[in-house]
Amino acid sequence: MANLFDAYKSTYNDAVQDSIRFSGLKHDFFLKAKADLLARLINERGLCGERPVRALDVGCGVGALHPFLKQFLPKLSGCDVSSESITRARQDNSWVDYSAYEGPKLPYADASFDLAFAICVVHHVPPAGWPAFFSEMKRILRPNGIACVIEHNPFNPMTRLAVLRCPFDADAVLIRPGAAESLFRSQGFSDIAREHFLLFPFEHPALRTIERHFSKLPFGAQYACSARA
C-alpha cells in the first residue's frame, strides 16, 4: 500500500478529482464537509477546554485535509505508511507534526492524544488487520479521548462508482457502519455513535441541518463512526 500511495504523492488530489468528476463537485467540497464534521464532533463530545485539543490524523496521506483543520486543531499530528506522501504533506503544511512509519504500531506513546481520526483509511487495511487498527487508535488516546473513522458508505451507488474510478482504491474493501461499530465495541470503546453525511451535493447551512435529520439512514455518500476510549 505504501508504494501505491508513494506513486501518487504529486497527483493525489488530481486523481481524487478525476474519480468524482461525474458528480460535478470539487474535492474541496468533500474535504470541508469532513472538517466541519470533526469541528462539531469536538464540541459535542466535550473535547473543548482550556488547552488546545491534541489530535492525530491516522493515515493522513499528503495532508490535503489539514488546511481546513488549522483554525480549530492547531496541535495536529499526522502519520502515514507512505513516506513520499509525508514528505509532500510537510511541504504543504509546515505547522503539522508529521511522522512516517512502517506499521502496524503507531509511532506514538500510549495516551498521547485527545482525538484520533482516520478518514477513508480503514478500507485500505486488510480486514484481518481491522481489530489491530482500532486497538492502536485506542492505545494512543488519553482516557475519555475520542476516536473517529470516516468511511465511504458502501450502500450509496454514487460512492461505489467513485471508488471504482479511483486508481488507488483498487484494493479497497469497504467497511459497513455496523462493522465499524462492532470493532469499536470489541476494542473496549464506549459511547459509540454513527451518522451518515454528504446527502446533498450543496454547501448550505440549512441543507446541513436537514441532512442531520436523516443521518441515521444510510443515504449519505459517507459516514462517521465515533467512540470514547
Side-chain angles (χ1 to χ4, degrees), residues 23-89:
S23 70
L25 299 170
K26 298 293 186 182
H27 187 204
D28 282 2
F29 170 81
F30 296 93
L31 293 173
K32 188 176 185 305
K34 294 178 178 71
D36 290 346
L37 187 147
L38 288 172
R40 178 166 50 79
L41 181 71
I42 288 169
N43 287 321
E44 293 179 352
R45 289 289 198 163
L47 291 180
C48 293
E50 295 182 357
R51 61 178 178 82
V53 174
R54 187 174 182 197
L56 173 65
D57 184 354
V58 182
C60 65
V62 297
L65 178 66
H66 296 168
F68 297 88
L69 306 181
K70 187 175 184 178
Q71 183 176 358
F72 62 93
L73 284 178
K75 291 182 68 67
L76 178 63
S77 298
C79 63
D80 202 280
V81 296
S82 168
S83 59
E84 295 293 335
S85 293
I86 288 296
T87 298
R88 167 70 185 277

Side-chain angles (χ1 to χ4, degrees), residues 126-199:
W130 288 350
F133 185 93
F134 280 71
S135 177
E136 275 295 282
M137 291 186 76
K138 186 171 189 291
R139 180 185 66 78
I140 55 89
L141 281 172
R142 294 168 180 158
N144 293 316
I146 298 297
C148 177
V149 296
I150 295 178
E151 277 293 329
H152 297 313
N153 177 13
F155 303 111
N156 185 301
M158 295 296 99
T159 296
R160 284 194 167 275
L161 177 59
V163 170
L164 183 65
R165 290 166 55 93
C166 190
F168 44 77
D169 276 345
D171 67 339
V173 179
L174 300 187
I175 178 171
R176 296 187 177 192
E181 282 192 18
S182 295
L183 283 159
F184 273 130
R185 193 172 295 110
S186 70
Q187 299 307 316
F189 285 89
S190 62
D191 194 12
I192 302 167
R194 75 162 112 151
E195 62 179 280
H196 291 78
F197 68 111
L198 290 170
L199 175 61

Side-chain angles (χ1 to χ4, degrees), residues 88-102:
R88 167 70 185 277
R90 287 190 179 119
Q91 293 171 353
D92 293 346
N93 307 288
S94 59
W95 60 280
V96 180
D97 180 23
Y98 290 109
S99 296
Y101 75 110
E102 295 182 359

